[in-house]
Amino acid sequence: NLTTTVTGSGTVSPANGTYNYNSVQSLTATPAAGYTFTGWSGDATGSTNPLSVTMTANKNIKATFTINKYNLTTTVTGSGTVSPANGTFNYNSVQSLTATPAAGYTFTGWSGDATGSTNPLSVTMTANKNIKATFTINKYNLTTTVTGSGTVSPANGTYNYNSVQSLTATPPAGYTFTGWSGDATGSTN
């Protein structure tokens, strides 16, 4: 008698049978999707596939299949983090990537082995994955108005988060600059 068993996920053909003395049987190990055949044990050793078995006695042979593992690597453009950033995960496992922008940045999307801007992102590990998260710096509008007569330079503009803008108030002849109001206070000029 030839009896086969499987560890992991896959099949052996033929799986079982009764054979004549000294006959040679060819066993083929076929891994399931996401698994790799890694070897024989019991009344056979090694990883030759197919395996030739000479039937000189009852044989119990085990085929071992190991789940594939894939690397997840993330990179960041701009300022922010991705969690988990990197790791090695089993075939067909689903990893949830969360993009967290730094202060003054907005998450704008995935690229590489992922697309779109869904956050968190579900990634099914069927191969090695390289995924980039893009964070874009926020931009803010600066608008100035004048009460009385004079100019402010620069008068208006759009600027990156945390940039420092120097405003200069210039009064015409006969006027004095008396102070800032709105989103600024004081009279520093």
Side-chain angles (χ1 to χ4, degrees):
N1 289 329
L2 172 64
T3 305
T4 63
T5 56
V6 170
T7 297
S9 188
T11 59
V12 176
S13 180
N16 300 301
T18 302
Y19 301 100
N20 291 335
Y21 172 80
N22 226 21
S23 63
V24 177
Q25 303 307 311
S26 178
L27 297 182
T28 301
T30 305
Y35 284 77
T36 301
F37 172 67
T38 53
W40 305 102
S41 58
D43 291 322
T45 59
S47 57
T48 301
N49 190 21
L51 172 69
S52 294
V53 178
T54 303
M55 296 302 296
T56 56
N58 289 331
K59 305 275 183 172
N60 291 301
I61 299 175
K62 184 192 317 185
T64 299
F65 299 95
T66 303
I67 195 164
N68 296 340
K69 295 186 178 293
Y70 297 105
N71 294 322
L72 172 63
T73 305
T74 64
T75 55
V76 169
T77 296
S79 189
T81 60
V82 176
S83 180
N86 301 300
T88 301
F89 302 100
N90 286 345
Y91 168 79
N92 228 20
S93 65
V94 177
Q95 303 307 313
S96 180
L97 298 183
T98 301
T100 305
Y105 285 77
T106 300
F107 171 68
T108 53
W110 305 103
S111 59
D113 291 321
T115 58
S117 58
T118 300
N119 190 22
L121 173 69
S122 292
V123 178
T124 303
M125 297 302 295
T126 55
N128 290 328
K129 305 273 182 171
N130 291 297
I131 298 174
K132 181 176 9 176
T134 299
F135 300 95
T136 304
I137 195 163
N138 296 341
K139 296 188 177 292
Y140 299 100
N141 294 324
L142 172 63
T143 305
T144 63
T145 56
V146 173
T147 300
S149 186
T151 60
V152 175
S153 179
N156 300 305
T158 301
Y159 302 99
N160 286 345
Y161 167 80
N162 223 20
S163 65
V164 177
Q165 304 307 313
S166 178
L167 299 182
T168 301
T170 306
Y175 284 80
T176 301
F177 172 69
T178 56
W180 305 103
S181 61
D183 291 320
T185 58
S187 58
T188 301
N189 187 19

